[in-house]
Amino acid sequence: NLTEKLQRAFKHLRGQGTLTEENIQEAMREIRVALLEADVNLNVVKELIDHIRDKAVGAEVMTALSPSEQVIKIVRDELIALLGKDTARFKFAPQPPTVILMAGLQGSGKTTTTGKLAAWLKKGGHRPILVSVDVYRPAAREQLKVVAKSIDAKIYEGDLKGEQPGSKLVERLANEARREARNFGFDTLIVDTAGRLHVDEELMTEMEQLKKLLNPQEILFVADAMTGQDAVNSAQDFHKRLGLTGVVLTKMDGDARGGAALSIRHVTGQPIKFIGTGEKPDAFEPFHPDRIVGRILGMGDILSLVEKAEATLDKKKSEEFAKKALLGDGFTLEDFRDQLKQIKKLGSMESILKMLPSVGPFAGMQQAASQVDEKQFVRLEAMINSMTPHERRNHDIISGSRRKRIAAGSGTSVQEVNQLLRQYAQMAKMFKSMGKGGLAKQMMRGGM
Ligand code: GDP
Ligand code: MG
């Protein structure tokens, strides 16, 4: 399966000391094969591999991660991006009832999902009402009735009045159900539809009519994750005709190959909103791309290692920094430069500070940090680089002539050097006073 294939690709990288063009190429080849064999759409694979390669080749070597871990991290990030970073939101109509149209092939799980969705809505404080317009199979309507009963949800049964199954009957039932919802204050109407074994014209026409009639807020395509590429193709067909608003992937509890999940989003451009993980009404959850990717990669252990490595990289540095600063033992210009480098890497001083408590003496650090203009990093670093090691450790000796030299050497001005030294002095002073504070020392001993 995909998991094993990808792990093999990663294993080859594991022995390598550094990321080179060659071993990246090699890994990409293996990842490509793994994805294709997992039934991921060819175009999706192409795009993914391009992105992953670009990122891997351009990647700065993270000391905390080995090359293989780094590629895993890139693959993970790209897969998450492919699936749509965030959990998609469910849309409600400004004017109730919100109508949700369930679409999909027979056996994909529409009726089951209708019940699950109703249970989920109920839990969220909504009042759903269900209707089945699958008038072609009496058993299908009976099935929804049983499902509704099991979750104690209201169902609009209607009266077929011996009418011939067909789109006229479908429209009448849908209309009546909506009226029922309006009249009795149900805020959501979930319409379970008939499926077919294959996409056909009759089915599509009926779905289009329902869409026109009900103006649904959500048209959810229910796809069986086990059917892989077939699910992707039918999703595409349904999307072309109906304009889907989201996808529900069912049977994720089985050993689906994962390819469908990866492709469906890309092919339809619509987010996967929920997944079904079993036959019971509560085996249903909003789709979280990051969790699914962990699952697809099937390497929870390695992924958490990657996450830990990322976390310790930041944490260790910020702890060192805090220790030094808090104990007041000499915060030099070299430390200042290290700090700037760290900031550059992490994106912002705030992310370092977030790891520290923001109470007591630490509160002052937030303020000090805000005084560092982050866009000035490069210049600040250049200025410190232009100092001699002796100057960096003894800022007091940096006289007027030395300032001029530093400015010239770093392509900056004397004013900027002055400003840098002022900022540094301010920070050093603050750290020193914090170091004397009993609270800070206590916190250190308490093991931050
Ligand atoms: P419909 O024809 O699209 O309405 O599909 P159904 O709702 O009748 O579901 C078809 C079969 O799939 C039933 O046996 C369901 O119990 C089963 N099923 C639906 N969703 C899931 C799921 O998430 N996991 C598992 N294991 N089975 C599911
Ligand atoms: Mg059904």
Side-chain angles (χ1 to χ4, degrees), residues 110-111 134 137 140 143 192-193:
K110 287 181 303 302
T111 304
D134 190 349
R137 297 182 307 144
Q143 186 193 352
D192 183 22
T193 64

Side-chain angles (χ1 to χ4, degrees), residues 105-112 116 143 250-251 253 276-279:
L105 296 180
Q106 203 169 89
S108 61
K110 287 181 303 302
T111 304
T112 312
K116 289 173 171 180
Q143 186 193 352
T250 63
K251 311 186 193 179
D253 47 315
T277 56
E279 303 197 30

Side-chain angles (χ1 to χ4, degrees), residues 32-80:
R32 183 169 189 277
V33 171
L35 291 170
L36 285 174
E37 283 179 0
D39 226 1
V40 179
N41 182 284
L42 181 64
N43 294 325
V44 180
V45 173
K46 276 190 190 143
E47 206 167 301
L48 251 178
I49 291 291
D50 281 349
H51 284 172
I52 294 170
R53 185 186 292 117
D54 283 353
K55 292 254 166 71
V57 171
E60 219 184 295
V61 177
M62 289 173 78
T63 46
L65 297 179
S66 72
S68 71
E69 288 165 347
Q70 205 162 341
V71 171
I72 291 170
K73 177 177 149 44
I74 294 168
V75 172
R76 180 199 61 177
D77 292 349
E78 284 303 312
L79 290 180
I80 291 175

Side-chain angles (χ1 to χ4, degrees), residues 27 149 265 409 439 445:
K149 198 164 178 206
R265 156 86 209 212
L439 178 60
R445 265 199 297 277

Side-chain angles (χ1 to χ4, degrees), residues 172-193:
R172 175 166 71 78
L173 279 178
N175 248 327
E176 287 171 5
R178 182 171 48 183
R179 195 177 321 133
E180 182 89 354
R182 282 201 187 121
N183 290 348
F184 296 95
F186 292 95
D187 65 357
T188 35
L189 169 64
I190 313 177
V191 184
D192 183 22
T193 64

